[in-house]
Amino acid sequence: MPHDTPLIATIVAGLGLAFVFGTIAQRLKIPPLVGYLLAGVAVGPFTPGYVADQALATELAELGIILLMFGVGLHFSLKDLLSVKAIAIPGAIVQIAVATLMGLGLAMLMKWKVSEGLVFGLALSVASTVVLLRALQERRLMETGRGRIAVGWLIVEDLAMVLALVLIPTFANLQTGNVTTAASLLGAHFELGLGGVLLLTAVKVALFIALMLVVGRRLIPWILHYIAHTGSRELFRLAVLAIALGVAFGSTKLFDVSLALGAFFAGMMLRESPLSARAAQESLPLRDAFAVLFFVSVGMLFDPFSVVRDPWPLIATLLVIIIGKSLAAFLIVIAFRHPVATALTISASLAQIGEFSFILAELGYASKLLSKQARDLILAGAILSIMLNPLVFAGVDWLIARLERRNAPSPSRAAAKAIPVTHLTDHTILVGYGRVGNLIGNDLKQKKLPFLVIEASDGTVSKLRESGIEALTGNAAQPEILRAAALPKSRNVVVAIPEAFEAGQIVQQARAANASIRIIARAHSDAEVEHLQGLGADTVIMGEREIARGMIEELERRFPDAADKDSPRLAEAGSRA
């Protein structure tokens, strides 16, 4: 049996080192993505030791790009974008333009071509969605106004880059005279010129989009539904991957559309299905694995010694990424009359570059629009900016806290501006209005029982108030929020949030404020049940137990004789809830 297996060796070395470096990065509170990139550097041709097969790594990276873009399309929400369109769309477009011009200016100082400078600047203009989402989730900003604007801004950037992925190959073919696509061949044959070739490309892309919207929007969800009804989880997972890879490959062969754009639209069409959440879950492990290999392959392309040989261009590139485009975003947000805290959060979110920058760097280099130096600067800028982004966010957090303390009112003014206490009595305080809280709230409303909602999401609170339900915005663990809910006058507290730590703080404060109040909470484990009961909760509901109780009751109704026979065991299972 032959032992020369470069594909297996490349995958094993890539994933193995990515795991080691990613774990170290996580331990140092740096995004694991940095570890994956450094793993690629370690197995690349520019460092001593084992060198992975670069050609195979590049092909694996293509699969990574397809699955990355498929994931972006699968989670793309037009509704989320439209909710912040007034700031996200013009803000992102202006910021991309400013950052691209700054990159072009730096390229001109280094005496590069204008075309190279434009692609270089474009790669510096787009931030990493992966890094941004993690930073927002760590700070619990996803459901805030600031978080929604940042995510909407990134969606617009992603869409702009998708358009760039369509135009760059055609532009490169016209620049280099390399007529490889059908549009380029027709343009050369009929002497259409730049405008004609771009128009022809736009027509082909429009045909592809129309086909996806008319046929794909119906066919792809139908395929998923058909496979789901077979009951085979294995076939369902295979169908999701076959759709992603098949649409991406077919769009490239038939319409000269990039693999990335084809995969993006496959994800978008799959989102139309009610089974999209399950599709995302089933494809996640393979998407994650190939995304890691993509980042490893990108790291293999980077020459770390180029930083030592010529540090000044890298410093200038980092200044454009971290200072230049972040300052531009800050001024844009302030110009739209948003608070300074929002402007600072958006600025910190954009102070890095990531996945699309790698894709553009590779595409530009393969299309001979970017030199090796330009590609190395983009890769080095991405690695260093991602490593520095947690520090940028920490600085912004400190600055926002300092501004809030400076602008905090004096004690007399604070008393005047304190949250007014509700006039409700004998009411229920409902903490959290997600999937569980919503069901409870609807039941209380139908029974015309007085209740008040405490919810962290501004949007949810606004909708509740519009429907005539009294609601408070904020974290219910904060004493002033619970004080405004009139704990001493209330009858029940229902803690419907899934976070046991915060729920425990709420339970403890509620019990201290009102010894006779009834407290009901939710939990996900036996340990959480004990924790909440120990702090004063009267009843703690665990979802798995309630499901078991419901199933047992159904068994007792269907088989009463068996229920009588085994009643001690069935009763014990039910009572544990």
Side-chain angles (χ1 to χ4, degrees), residues 59-82:
E59 289 200 29
L60 291 171
E62 290 283 0
L63 283 173
I65 290 170
I66 290 172
L67 294 175
L68 266 175
M69 292 302 299
F70 176 68
V72 172
L74 202 54
H75 292 96
F76 173 73
S77 172
L78 190 60
K79 183 180 177 182
D80 291 344
L81 176 58
L82 292 176

Side-chain angles (χ1 to χ4, degrees), residues 387-396:
M387 290 180 70
L388 292 172
N389 196 245
L391 296 178
V392 174
F393 257 107
V396 163

Side-chain angles (χ1 to χ4, degrees), residues 26-46:
Q26 180 77 22
R27 184 73 177 173
L28 297 174
K29 299 189 182 301
I30 298 170
L33 189 149
V34 175
Y36 309 153
L37 293 167
L38 293 178
V41 174
V43 297
F46 305 105

Side-chain angles (χ1 to χ4, degrees), residues 9 20 22 45 81 127 222 263 387 405 411 414 417 419 454 475 499 505:
V20 173
L81 176 58
W222 178 84
M387 290 180 70
R405 285 196 300 271
K417 290 188 176 182
I419 304 171
I454 302 176
N475 186 340
E499 293 84 5
Q505 293 179 304

Side-chain angles (χ1 to χ4, degrees), residues 8-9 99 200 202 378 405 468 503 526 539:
I8 295 175
L200 193 58
I378 294 169
R405 285 196 300 271
D526 292 330
T539 306

Side-chain angles (χ1 to χ4, degrees), residues 9 202 272 338 361 391 467 524:
E272 295 292 317
H338 283 268
L391 296 178
S467 64
H524 291 290

